[in-house]
Amino acid sequence: MRHWPLTQLTLTTTDLVLRVPDDGRLDELAQVAADGVVPAGAVYFPQPWASGTPRESARSVVQNHWWARGDWREDNWRLLLAVFHDGQVIGQQNLSAHDFLVTREARTGFWLGRRFQGRGFGTQMRAAALYLAFDCLGAQRVISTAFADNAASRRVSQKFGYEPGGVRRLAVGHRLVEAHDDVLTADRWHRLSRQPIKVEGFEECRSLFGVPAPPPPVDVVRHV
Ligand SMILES: CC(C)(COP(=O)(O)OP(=O)(O)OC[C@H]1O[C@@H](n2cnc3c(N)ncnc32)[C@H](O)[C@@H]1OP(=O)(O)O)[C@@H](O)C(=O)NCCC(=O)NCCS
């Protein structure tokens, strides 16, 4: 789509492709959510979208994508990428920021259909989001939040060398949860040895993120 260049953004990892879904693919993503994301009774998100009935979960995914698209602003954006493995939609990776140009801080979120969990895909998804944040957008910090009992999500952050950034107490319905805000800085990210990530279509949508292009290299005039 010429006038919504985010549709051209593609991140490719060893096993996965991440892209903004068109409505057909969004419907498939909604079905993945309907088939189940969290174990029965678990609460891993502040909003109860993944704990509703299959129909509620699916609709919530669809509406969330439409809302994120419609509400997009350069100073307040929420990128929701569908994740594909062998052409099949398996989950979602988010990257979002408020006033990014000032704060240089972004947040991630992610989920996979239950049958796709525990195969290393979450780690690759996070790596792709971190690459976009640090290497393309010039983030200085990325925050990833996981509830205390979400061992898989917290382990993914640990693998990238996040540092503890504080614990918040949240009410999810009538339940008290502790949300761990872990922080990865650009310094630590750039010191990691990492799997290659391919990014296509970023320059076309750079302006949507409100991030100016780096200045071109200066021609050095030599006086002899
Ligand atoms: C969180 C999530 C996206 C991670 O994706 P994933 O593909 O399962 O993660 P990976 O396989 O890449 O890595 C998970 C790591 O956690 C570890 N892990 C998983 N369950 C664990 C447990 N109960 N205790 C300790 N470690 C655990 C795995 O061993 C792995 O670490 P390793 O690579 O060192 O062995 C996925 O599990 C998911 O969708 N969960 C439900 C939704 C959710 O919780 N979203 C995040 C909200 S913050």
Side-chain angles (χ1 to χ4, degrees):
M1 185 185 284
R2 282 176 305 165
H3 298 294
W4 195 243
L6 285 175
T7 51
Q8 294 168 44
L9 182 66
T10 308
L11 312 181
T12 307
T13 71
T14 307
D15 297 307
L16 307 173
V17 176
L18 288 76
R19 311 179 48 103
V20 171
D22 61 21
D23 279 355
R25 294 308 224 164
L26 178 55
D27 193 53
E28 292 172 29
L29 180 65
Q31 186 59 48
V32 175
D35 292 343
V37 172
V38 299
V43 174
Y44 290 160
F45 299 95
Q47 312 82 6
W49 71 269
S51 323
T53 65
R55 178 180 290 186
E56 286 166 347
S57 297
R59 285 188 180 166
S60 173
V61 168
V62 171
Q63 286 191 287
N64 198 29
H65 277 251
W66 286 343
W67 170 73
R69 264 187 248 175
D71 203 46
W72 186 286
R73 294 203 327 253
E74 287 176 16
D75 61 356
N76 185 9
W77 44 261
R78 228 164 145 247
L79 179 66
L80 309 185
L81 297 167
V83 180
F84 299 85
H85 173 62
D86 285 344
Q88 182 182 16
V89 183
I90 63 169
Q92 178 174 314
Q93 176 65 54
N94 305 353
L95 184 71
S96 60
H98 287 249
D99 298 316
F100 180 77
L101 205 50
V102 179
T103 65
R104 295 284 172 173
E105 183 177 280
R107 289 180 172 269
T108 70
F110 61 168
W111 58 265
L112 285 163
R114 288 201 69 188
R115 63 187 184 282
F116 306 110
Q117 297 173 11
R119 293 159 58 179
F121 296 152
T123 304
Q124 292 186 39
M125 290 154 61
R126 177 73 65 77
L130 293 173
Y131 187 90
L132 180 63
F134 288 120
D135 295 72
C136 301
L137 294 166
Q140 289 167 0
R141 287 159 45 105
V142 171
I143 300 175
S144 300
T145 300
F147 291 174
D149 59 349
N150 192 343
S153 180
R154 296 187 65 191
R155 172 73 187 130
V156 171
S157 296
Q158 189 187 34
K159 287 198 277 185
F160 287 101
Y162 281 64
E163 298 169 293
V167 181
R168 287 176 290 135
R169 286 159 70 91
L170 300 179
V172 179
H174 295 295
R175 205 151 145 180
L176 170 68
V177 294
E178 290 194 332
H180 290 248
D181 289 324
D182 293 325
V183 179
L184 184 62
T185 59
D187 280 354
R188 287 174 80 92
W189 166 254
H190 290 300
R191 286 205 299 269
L192 283 174
S193 64
R194 299 178 253 122
Q195 297 293 315
I197 310 281
K198 188 165 105 190
V199 177
E200 294 162 282
F202 173 70
E203 285 309 325
E204 290 80 346
C205 54
R206 174 190 285 279
S207 64
L208 275 174
F209 291 98
V211 176
V218 178
D219 285 337
V220 178
V221 180
R222 294 186 190 285
H223 298 280
V224 288

